[in-house]
Amino acid sequence: MSLIHKTAAELGRLIATGETSSVEVAQAHLDRIAAVEPKVHAFLHVDPDGVLAQARAVDERLAAGERLGPLAGVPIAHKDVFTTADMPTTAGSKILEGWRPPYDATVTQRLRAAGLVILGKTNLDEFAMGSSTENSAYGPTRNPWDLTRIPGGSSGGASASVAAYEAPLSTGTDTGGSIRQPAAVTGIVGMKPTYGGSSRYGLIAFASSLDTPGPFARNVLDAALLHEAFSGHDPMDSTSIDAPVPPVVEAARQASVDGLRIGVVKEFGGDGYQPGVLARFQEAVDLLESLGAKVVEVSCPSFTYALPAYYLIAPSECSSNLARFDAMRYGLRVGDDGTRSAEEVMALTRAAGFGPEVKRRIMLGTYALSSGYYDAYYGSAQKVRTLIARDFEAAFHQVDVLISPTTPTTAFPIGERADDPMAMYLADLCTIPSNLAGNAAISVPCGRADEDGLPVGLQIMAPVLGDDRCYRVGAAVEKAFEDRWGGPLLKEAPAL
Ligand code: GLN
């Protein structure tokens, strides 16, 4: 088996024992990137010399006897919304084209400290707003399973890079589903940790009360190892939780559901769901029962209002967060020819630098926060948010985890929803409640839909700081499905 087909855990072990080197592993992935990037376009920035220099440095640290973590020397693709002092950071926007951050995000720092080798920065919907990566100012990323389809979003470059075997691991951020939805539609594992469980310091802000960094991998254990490597308390983030990281790696190794109570969310299913998605979901439910779990139906009535509440809260927060892109501080500046006022330059820069979805959200958010409308829109949405958190609390009195399909459909064709924001927003129907409540949730592959042969994801939701439960159940499902499929769902992405 070639190096690119190995798991991150195996690569870490082979590097630690000296059977291979970080440089060799990095080179294998750079070769793969060179071969498939013209088709996939997962990356916005790759600097092969810089990658090899990082890998050499890790090999030297290991040779000097330094004890690094289990992922030392393993390559990773990093979402281009985390600041990196040695690489550009664009957030998928023209307004940050050419910007070099002066510092590393906490997540970036921790990747480096753990000896991970950053292959490059991955494509995303501009400022993480979208579900398809079509909102990137630098062109869409393509789904490795079918190059005419979307890889999900906003972390579409991150999901595609792992599904296309360009990287064994990647980072993402999940504000409304941007890790779980892309993971589901590309057939990989994606985890949204508990809000505050991973640091937002140096993450370019979209909606600060929702934004959550998390891992992508091709299997549950690798995701848990990465989760552990970059999560945990950060004094630089005022909403970071000062508690130990839940035992995610142990849970991924435990891989058992025997005696667990699992709730199927009644409100997720039925109209608007692709039959092949529902069929795979039902199979997963039967599988969990056969593994010894007790499965019951649970009602979370307020989940029906999650989508409208999210599309008030997220734009409201983004309208405030994106005010900093004012032509003075970062990146692009348009019309500064000495004849125009600062306000005119600001307006010209924002008009040229932001794409249509970002502008739509800034306008929506500004309206929702304006005096006279604040209570009616933003205030009501915050009340719905509380009701959703209460639904989760009540549900977690009855069951240990909740499950649902991750997305209502498989990957849709590029262009199909590009002019229809409402249709695009529906991709996150099942993922958004966990963002509003802040609890942990993971997506793991559960087969392919009969209609189109494309991957389907199973979402497993756990209470706040119950992240380990997501991994425990996810790993059990993965093991059972692999026995049935005779190996991992993703053996090699087709058509590449
Ligand atoms: N698709 C959702 C949105 O467009 C979620 C994005 C995200 O999680 N970053 O807002």
Side-chain angles (χ1 to χ4, degrees):
M1 192 164 53
S2 72
L3 287 173
I4 61 163
H5 291 101
K6 295 197 187 299
T7 67
E10 281 168 353
L11 290 173
R13 193 183 56 76
L14 293 173
I15 294 166
T17 57
E19 283 162 79
T20 185
S21 66
S22 179
V23 166
E24 252 181 285
V25 174
Q27 189 59 58
H29 286 89
L30 288 171
D31 292 346
R32 176 72 175 172
I33 289 171
V36 304
E37 264 305 272
K39 290 177 186 161
V40 179
H41 186 46
F43 286 89
L44 294 178
H45 175 83
V46 181
D47 164 20
D49 293 340
V51 172
L52 293 171
Q54 288 179 62
R56 247 188 318 274
V58 176
D59 282 335
E60 280 162 19
R61 283 164 75 185
L62 289 171
E66 207 178 315
R67 288 185 72 87
L68 298 165
L71 296 176
V74 176
I76 185 166
H78 202 20
K79 186 174 179 181
D80 199 24
V81 72
F82 292 100
T83 56
T84 41
D86 54 350
M87 297 173 207
T89 301
T90 66
S93 181
K94 283 279 176 223
I95 212 156
L96 279 177
E97 194 164 19
W99 181 58
R100 288 265 174 169
Y103 70 106
D104 275 344
T106 296
V107 169
T108 310
Q109 278 173 29
R110 291 188 182 173
L111 297 180
R112 297 192 204 277
L116 282 142
V117 172
I118 301 174
L119 288 168
K121 306 293 292 287
T122 58
N123 199 12
L124 68 155
D125 286 299
E126 187 175 4
F127 289 104
M129 298 175 196
S131 305
S132 68
T133 317
E134 290 166 291
N135 294 337
S136 168
Y138 303 99
T141 297
R142 293 170 183 279
N143 190 319
W145 290 82
D146 177 344
L147 296 170
T148 68
R149 301 206 179 223
I150 59 108
S154 64
S155 315
S159 62
S161 67
V162 170
Y165 286 83
E166 293 173 279
L169 299 169
S170 62
T171 59
T173 58
D174 195 311
T175 302
S178 278
I179 292 176
R180 290 160 287 159
Q181 182 259 4
V185 301
T186 57
I188 64 172
V189 177
M191 169 78 183
K192 183 197 91 67
T194 294
Y195 175 79
S198 50
S199 170
R200 289 185 297 108
Y201 180 69
L203 162 63
I204 296 176
F206 163 15
S208 307
S209 76
L210 302 162
D211 297 342
T212 312
F216 283 101
R218 287 189 297 266
N219 68 81
V220 175
L221 177 63
D222 282 359
L225 288 167
L226 180 56
H227 183 136
E228 192 177 64
F230 69 63
S231 303
H233 183 238
D234 178 13
M236 300 299 281
D237 172 356
S238 62
T239 57
S240 168
I241 300 175
D242 192 358
V245 179
V248 291
V249 173
E250 236 175 275
R253 293 214 162 96
Q254 187 183 0
S256 112
V257 293
D258 200 22
L260 274 192
R261 297 162 305 161
I262 296 182
V264 173
V265 182
K266 183 172 150 230
E267 284 72 15
F268 292 151
D271 281 356
Y273 287 76
Q274 192 175 319
V277 168
L278 292 177
R280 290 295 88 82
F281 176 67
Q282 190 52 49
E283 267 177 29
V285 171
D286 297 343
L287 185 78
L288 284 162
E289 272 183 325
S290 74
L291 294 173
K294 187 171 168 355
V295 183
V296 295
E297 191 176 76
V298 174
S299 177
C300 297
S302 306
F303 283 15
T304 335
Y305 306 108
L307 205 62
Y310 172 87
Y311 277 101
L312 284 166
I313 292 169
S316 295
E317 294 188 18
C318 99
S319 70
S320 163
N321 273 326
L322 270 57
R324 74 190 65 175
F325 301 105
D326 57 3
M328 305 297 142
R329 282 174 256 231
Y330 317 88
L332 189 72
R333 180 177 296 173
V334 176
D336 183 18
D337 58 7
T339 69
R340 293 190 174 89
S341 68
E343 284 76 12
E344 284 169 325
V345 171
M346 207 179 288
L348 286 171
T349 302
R350 287 168 69 86
F354 289 139
E357 183 63 22
V358 172
K359 287 177 182 159
R360 181 179 300 120
R361 296 198 190 194
I362 291 174
M363 285 189 281
L364 260 174
T366 307
Y367 180 78
L369 290 178
S370 57
S371 78
Y373 294 109
Y374 184 95
D375 282 336
Y377 293 115
Y378 187 71
S380 305
Q382 290 290 24
K383 286 180 189 155
V384 170
R385 190 170 186 176
T386 303
L387 293 176
I388 289 169
R390 284 189 195 152
D391 275 2
F392 270 117
E393 267 169 47
F396 289 132
H397 277 126
Q398 287 173 259
V399 295
D400 300 299
V401 295
L402 291 168
I403 57 171
S404 75
T406 306
T407 56
T409 69
T410 56
F412 44 88
I414 291 176
E416 187 187 83
R417 301 188 193 178
D419 300 321
D420 186 350
M422 278 309 292
M424 190 73 88
Y425 297 170
L426 285 173
D428 295 316
L429 199 59
C430 310
T431 48
I432 279 176
S434 294
N435 295 90
L436 292 172
N439 58 286
I442 198 168
S443 179
V444 297
C446 69
R448 306 204 222 170
D450 299 321
E451 306 85 61
D452 49 25
L454 292 168
V456 176
L458 169 71
Q459 179 178 225
I460 304 153
M461 296 164 271
V464 166
L465 289 179
D467 304 44
D468 49 312
R469 292 188 201 172
C470 294
Y471 287 100
R472 182 177 159 193
V473 177
V477 168
E478 175 182 74
K479 193 162 163 282
F481 272 129
E482 289 191 2
D483 289 346
R484 178 182 293 185
W485 298 326
L489 175 69
L490 195 57
K491 286 189 179 126
E492 183 155 13
L496 292 174

